[in-house]
C-alpha cells in the first residue's frame, strides 16, 4: 500500500492546481469566456485566437475537414494557464456540431465546473445534460450568468429556472445593477465592492469602489438614484430570501455560487476568476475498485478518459488523454498498464497548452498528459507505478442516436467487426449486436461520431459501409439480481435487446416514454444510464 510520508513539494504542486471544464449550451458564451480567461492567464496574447478555432470546427462536415478538426481539437482539448500563482487546466467540452460522448467523459476528469447561462435563455437542454453528468460525482459548480449587456430574464427568475431544472441552490456572490441599456455594473456582495460597467473596457484589479453601506449617497451619484434604490431593495430581498454561501454545500454540488457579467465585454470575468481560484477545489481523492486514492500519495496513478486518433492513415498513432490522480510524473518513467499487464515507458508524453503541445518533463495530480500509442490504450485504462488499481467513474454514457451498419462488401465482415470493436474501445462510437439478427447497430451521443466512424472504417480498416436509420433513441444497460426474472425479461423483449462491445445486455427503445412504460412493467429490472468500462 501507499507510503505514509507526504512529500511537501508534491503537496504544494497539488494545492496550486485547478482542473475544470465549462458547461453551457451552444452560444451562451463559452468560447468568449475561455478566451478572456486565457488572456488573464497570459496563455494567449490577443482576443480572437480561440474564436478562430471555433469557426474552423464549426465548418467540419466531410472527411477532410473532420481530419483537420481533429488536429485542431487536440491542441485545444486542454488549455493550461497560470493565474495568481495557480496552475489552471481548462478541459474543452465540445458543444456544437462536435458534441459527443467525449464531452460527457471530459467531465469525469475535472474537479470543478463553471456553468454559463445566457441571461435571455435561462437553462437550456445541453446544460441540463451536462449537469446530469456533473451530478454523478457531485462536481462543484460555479455559475456565470452572461450577456447582462443585453435584455434578459430577471435574476431571480433565472435562479428559479436553475433551481427547478437543475436542482441546485443558487447563492449570489455578486448582484447586477440593471441589464441591457440600463446595465450599470455589479455589486460584489462579499467584498462589498461596486464594479461600474463601461462597454469594451476591461476593469482593473483596483477599479472596484468599496461601498460598505448601501445607504451611502455616493451610490446614487454613481449609478443614478432609481438604480441605487433598486439595488438596495434587491440586496434586502436576497439577504432575506437567499441562504448564505456554504462551502460544504457548494463542494458537494448542492449549492452554486452565482456571478453576473458580460464575457464579451470582459466584465465580471476577473471577479469570477478571483473567486474561482479561491473556492475551486484542488485535485481530490478518487475512487477505485479497491480503495480511494489520495493525490498526495507518492505512487503515480491516473486514468485515460479520451482517445484521439490521428486521421492520417499513414500514422496510426493515437493520443490517450490521461488524468494524473496521484504522485508525480517524470519524463521517461515506467508505469504498469494494468489491463494488459505490461510495463510501459512514458517517454514522450505531451502536456497541453493553449496554442501548442509541448513535450513535458514533469506533471502532477490534476494535470492532463497526452500519451502516444498505437491503439493499445482503451478508455478507462489505469496506469500506476505498481499497485493494480482500477479507477471508477469513467463510464460509457447511454447513446441517443442510432444507426444500423450496412456492409457493402460481405467479404469484409471480419474487418468491419474488428474496426467497430476497436473504435468502441477508443470511445469513438458504441456498438451493439442485437440478440436477433446479425447486423451491427452503432450508437452515439452526438451525430458527428457517425461521420468520424465511417471515415475511420474506410481509412484504417479499408471497409466500405453505409448507415441505415433505425427507430431507436434510448439505450439502457440492464441488470437484475433475480436470474429467472432477467430470463423472462429477455424472452419478452428479445427484439429490443442487444449486447454491447463488452457483452453487457442493453435495452434499446424508441422513446423515453416507451422506456418509462417498460420500467413500470418490469420493476425488478435495473435500467442503467451509464456503464463502467472493463467490468464485465
Ligand atoms: P459558445 O462558445 O458558447 O457557443 O458561445 P460564443 O462565445 O461563441 O458566443 C456566442 C455569441 O454570443 C457570439 O456572438 C458572442 O460574441 C456573443 N456573446 C458572448 N458573450 C456575450 C456577452 O457578454 N454579451 C453579448 N451581447 N454577446 C455575447 P456571435 O454573433 O455568434 O459571434 P461574433 O460574431 O460576435 O463572433
Amino acid at each position: 500500500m501507499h507510503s505514509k510520508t507526504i512529500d511537501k513539494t508534491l503537496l504544494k504542486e497539488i494545492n496550486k492546481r485547478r482542473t475544470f471544464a465549462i458547461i453551457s449550451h451552444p452560444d451562451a458564451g463559452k468560447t468568449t469566456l475561455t478566451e478572456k480567461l486565457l488572456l488573464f492567464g497570459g496563455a494567449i496574447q490577443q482576443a480572437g485566437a480561440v474564436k478562430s478555432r471555433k469557426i474552423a470546427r464549426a465548418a467540419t462536415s466531410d472527411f477532410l475537414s473532420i481530419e483537420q478538426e481533429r488536429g485542431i481539437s487536440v491542441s485545444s482539448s486542454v488549455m493550461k494557464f497560470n493565474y495568481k500563482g495557480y496552475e489552471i487546466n481548462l478541459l474543452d467540452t465540445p458543444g456544437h456540431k462536435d458534441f459527443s460522448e467525449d464531452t460527457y467523459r471530459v467531465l469525469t476528469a475535472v474537479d470543478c465546473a463553471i456553468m454559463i447561462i445566457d441571461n435571455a435563455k435561462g437553462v437550456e437542454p445541453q446544460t441540463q445534460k451536462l449537469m446530469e453528468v456533473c451530478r454523478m460525482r457531485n462536481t462543484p459548480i460555479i455559475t456565470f450568468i452572461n450577456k447582462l449587456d443585453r435584455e434578459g430574464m430577471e435574476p431571480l427568475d433565472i435562479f428559479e429556472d436553475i433551481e427547478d431544472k437543475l436542482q441546485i441552490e443558487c447563492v449570489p456572490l455578486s448582484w447586477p445593477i440593471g441589464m441591457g441599456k440600463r446595465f450599470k455594473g455589479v455589486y460584489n456582495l462579499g467584498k462589498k465592492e461596486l464594479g461600474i460597467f463601461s462597454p469594451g473596457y476591461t476593469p482593473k484589479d483596483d477599479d472596484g469602489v468599496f461601498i460598505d453601506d448601501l445607504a451611502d449617497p455616493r451610490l446614487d451619484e454613481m449609478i443614478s438614484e432609481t438604480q441605487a434604490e433598486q439595488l438596495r431593495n434587491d440586496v434586502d430581498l436576497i439577504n432575506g430570501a437567499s441562504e448564505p454561501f456554504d462551502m460544504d454545500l457548494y463542494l458537494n454540488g448542492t449549492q452554486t455560487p452565482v456571478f453576473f457579467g458580460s464575457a464579451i465585454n470582459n466584465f465580471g470575468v476577473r471577479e469570477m476568476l478571483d473567486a474561482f481560484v479561491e473556492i475551486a477545489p484542488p485535485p481530490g481523492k478518487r475512487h477505485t475498485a479497491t480503495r480511494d486514492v489520495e493525490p498526495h500519495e507518492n505512487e503515480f496513478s491516473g486514468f485515460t478518459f479520451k482517445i484521439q486518433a490521428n486521421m492520417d492513415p499513414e500514422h496510426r498513432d493515437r493520443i490517450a488523454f490521461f488524468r494524473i490522480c496521484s504522485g508525480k510524473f517524470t519524463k521517461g518513467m515506467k508505469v504498469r498498464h494494468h489491463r494488459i499487464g505490461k510495463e510501459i515507458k512514458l517517454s514522450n508524453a505531451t502536456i497541453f497548452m493553449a496554442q501548442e503541445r509541448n513535450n513535458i518533463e514533469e506533471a502532477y495530480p490534476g494535470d492532463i498528459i497526452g500519451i502516444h500509442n498505437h491503439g493499445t490504450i482503451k478508455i478507462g485504462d489505469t496506469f500506476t507505478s505498481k499497485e493494480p488499481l482500477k479507477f471508477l467513474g469513467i463510464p460509457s454514457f447511454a447513446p441517443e442516436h442510432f444507426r444500423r451498419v450496412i456492409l457493402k462488401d460481405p467479404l469484409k465482415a471480419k474487418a468491419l467487426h474488428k474496426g467497430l470493436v476497436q473504435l468502441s474501445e477508443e470511445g469513438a462510437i458504441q456498438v451493439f449486436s442485437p440478440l436477433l439478427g446479425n447486423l451491427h447497430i452503432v450508437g452515439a451521443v452526438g451525430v458527428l461520431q457517425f461521420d468520424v466512424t465511417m471515415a475511420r472504417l474506410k481509412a484504417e480498416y479499408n471497409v466500405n459501409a453505409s448507415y441505415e436509420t433505425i427507430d431507436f433513441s434510448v439505450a439502457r444497460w440492464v441488470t437484475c439480481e433475480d436470474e429467472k426474472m432477467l430470463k423472462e425479461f429477455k424472452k419478452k423483449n428479445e427484439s429490443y435487446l442487444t449486447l454491447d462491445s463488452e457483452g453487457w445486455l442493453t435495452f434499446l427503445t424508441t422513446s423515453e416514454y416507451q422506456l418509462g412504460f417498460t420500467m413500470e412493467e418490469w420493476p425488478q429490472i435495473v435500467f442503467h444510464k451509464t456503464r463502467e468500462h472493463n467490468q464485465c
Side-chain angles (χ1 to χ4, degrees):
M1 283 290 158
H2 63 278
S3 120
K4 293 243 181 324
T5 49
I6 296 179
D7 177 337
K8 288 210 177 89
T9 324
L10 178 60
L11 203 58
K12 206 172 130 211
E13 292 294 338
I14 294 165
N15 285 335
K16 64 181 195 192
R17 273 170 175 73
R18 300 288 183 271
T19 299
F20 80 109
I22 297 178
I23 58 171
S24 63
H25 192 82
D27 288 332
K30 189 188 71 168
T31 313
T32 312
L33 183 70
T34 300
E35 196 155 278
K36 303 300 178 201
L37 295 176
L38 295 181
L39 280 167
F40 278 128
I44 55 170
Q45 305 312 321
Q46 65 193 41
V50 181
K51 197 96 198 167
S52 60
R53 280 205 298 261
K54 177 181 164 182
I55 293 161
R57 267 162 69 170
T60 60
S61 56
D62 56 17
F63 173 78
L64 211 93
S65 47
I66 290 170
E67 185 178 351
Q68 286 165 353
E69 180 269 328
R70 294 180 81 81
I72 293 160
S73 63
V74 165
S75 54
S76 62
S77 288
V78 182
M79 291 160 273
K80 199 173 180 58
F81 62 99
N82 298 302
Y83 185 72
K84 295 197 169 166
Y86 292 90
E87 292 219 12
I88 305 173
N89 296 306
L90 166 53
L91 276 57
D92 187 28
T93 42
H96 283 255
K97 261 183 101 168
D98 47 1
F99 181 70
S100 70
E101 204 181 343
D102 276 344
T103 314
Y104 288 158
R105 228 155 4 218
V106 157
L107 296 175
T108 67
V110 300
D111 302 308
C112 173
I114 290 179
M115 171 168 77
I116 309 179
I117 303 279
D118 181 328
N119 81 326
K121 308 254 179 72
V123 176
E124 297 176 87
Q126 204 155 294
T127 312
Q128 224 162 338
K129 286 183 184 178
L130 296 170
M131 262 300 278
E132 256 185 61
V133 178
C134 289
R135 201 165 288 289
M136 288 170 49
R137 287 179 44 241
N138 297 331
T139 306
I141 309 284
I142 295 172
T143 301
F144 184 75
I145 314 257
N146 192 24
K147 307 195 186 182
L148 264 290
D149 59 317
R150 280 193 189 165
E151 292 300 328
M153 294 159 71
E154 287 301 326
L156 285 175
D157 291 338
I158 300 185
F159 282 17
E160 202 180 311
D161 195 41
I162 294 175
E163 290 178 358
D164 244 34
K165 292 191 181 133
L166 305 176
Q167 273 82 55
I168 189 163
E169 186 182 46
C170 295
V171 180
L173 295 192
S174 77
W175 196 255
I177 302 158
M179 68 173 86
K181 287 204 175 74
R182 294 165 297 112
F183 183 50
K184 286 283 162 49
V186 290
Y187 181 64
N188 188 319
L189 296 161
K191 291 188 180 154
K192 304 200 166 194
E193 218 172 70
L194 180 72
I196 300 280
F197 174 65
S198 154
Y201 170 74
T202 301
K204 302 208 173 52
D205 248 355
D206 53 2
D207 274 355
V209 183
F210 180 68
I211 297 200
D212 186 22
D213 181 358
L214 285 178
D216 191 329
R218 283 183 303 158
L219 194 63
D220 304 73
E221 285 160 31
M222 283 187 280
I223 60 170
S224 90
E225 264 176 47
T226 335
Q227 286 193 290
E229 207 41 42
Q230 176 79 43
L231 178 65
R232 290 178 188 118
N233 290 340
D234 283 353
V235 171
D236 268 355
L237 188 72
I238 358 169
N239 284 342
S242 163
E243 291 295 321
F245 175 64
D246 180 318
M247 196 68 176
D248 290 336
L249 293 180
Y250 148 72
L251 287 175
N252 70 24
T254 315
Q255 226 186 39
T256 177
V258 183
F259 292 87
F260 293 84
S262 167
I264 195 102
N265 289 294
N266 217 340
F267 189 81
V269 177
R270 185 196 291 274
E271 191 175 37
M272 182 192 59
L273 185 56
D274 284 343
F276 170 85
V277 290
E278 267 175 40
I279 65 172
K285 68 173 176 215
R286 291 264 161 174
H287 303 310
T288 74
T290 38
R291 66 181 183 89
D292 285 350
V293 171
E294 296 285 352
H296 53 258
E297 290 179 23
N298 287 332
E299 183 169 355
F300 173 84
S301 73
F303 61 84
T304 306
F305 61 93
K306 174 173 163 170
I307 291 169
Q308 188 93 59
N310 188 334
M311 292 294 285
D312 181 351
E314 300 296 312
H315 300 99
R316 291 200 167 197
D317 61 325
R318 322 247 188 280
I319 295 177
F321 287 72
F322 185 88
R323 149 103 197 197
I324 302 176
C325 295
S326 68
K328 174 181 172 182
F329 163 85
T330 42
K331 188 176 172 177
M333 79 189 291
K334 288 188 180 144
V335 295
R336 278 201 82 74
H337 184 184
H338 292 290
R339 186 179 48 79
I340 57 173
K342 277 198 178 147
E343 190 166 81
I344 61 163
K345 194 172 170 190
L346 299 178
S347 38
N348 60 346
T350 301
I351 199 143
F352 298 93
M353 304 294 286
Q355 303 283 37
E356 72 260 12
R357 288 187 262 155
N358 294 335
N359 236 327
I360 51 157
E361 300 294 328
E362 51 192 50
Y364 295 90
D367 284 339
I368 312 298
I369 56 173
I371 302 169
H372 292 269
N373 73 103
H374 296 285
T376 44
I377 304 179
K378 286 190 193 181
I379 298 281
D381 278 2
T382 299
F383 295 173
T384 72
S385 328
K386 201 157 99 212
E387 189 183 343
L389 295 170
K390 169 81 189 100
F391 283 98
L392 300 176
I394 314 107
S396 277
F397 295 87
E400 289 165 28
H401 305 277
F402 298 85
R403 302 276 190 275
R404 194 178 273 121
V405 184
I406 310 292
L407 189 58
K408 290 188 179 148
D409 174 0
L411 292 176
K412 291 278 181 184
K414 245 179 151 172
L416 172 70
H417 183 74
K418 184 176 165 208
L420 287 176
V421 167
Q422 289 185 350
L423 293 177
S424 71
E425 287 173 358
E426 287 181 15
I429 199 85
Q430 290 186 45
V431 183
F432 302 95
S433 310
L435 295 192
L436 296 177
N438 51 13
L439 288 178
H440 293 287
I441 294 174
V442 287
V445 162
V447 287
L448 184 71
Q449 291 180 251
F450 291 130
D451 295 353
V452 171
T453 299
M454 205 43 95
R456 290 189 59 191
L457 280 175
K458 176 88 184 70
E460 295 170 36
Y461 301 90
N462 198 18
V463 168
N464 266 317
S466 60
Y467 291 126
E468 200 176 78
T469 50
I470 183 168
D471 191 22
F472 289 134
S473 64
V474 176
R476 291 292 182 270
W477 287 278
V478 290
T479 56
C480 182
E481 284 190 352
D482 181 345
E483 271 188 36
K484 244 175 89 190
M485 177 72 71
L486 189 61
K487 217 168 150 194
E488 182 71 14
F489 177 74
K490 278 166 84 168
K491 210 168 103 196
K492 293 268 169 61
N493 292 281
E494 227 172 359
S495 49
Y496 294 96
L497 286 169
T498 64
L499 295 178
D500 75 3
S501 57
E502 283 186 19
W504 285 96
L505 192 63
T506 320
F507 176 70
L508 306 185
T509 187
T510 50
S511 64
E512 290 282 342
Y513 174 79
Q514 200 57 42
L515 172 70
F517 189 70
T518 311
M519 285 169 80
E520 247 172 55
E521 203 182 352
W522 299 89
Q524 278 168 279
I525 303 282
V526 188
F527 296 79
H528 308 264
K529 233 177 159 174
T530 58
R531 165 181 76 64
E532 288 284 342
H533 284 265
N534 315 324
Q535 295 278 299
C536 204

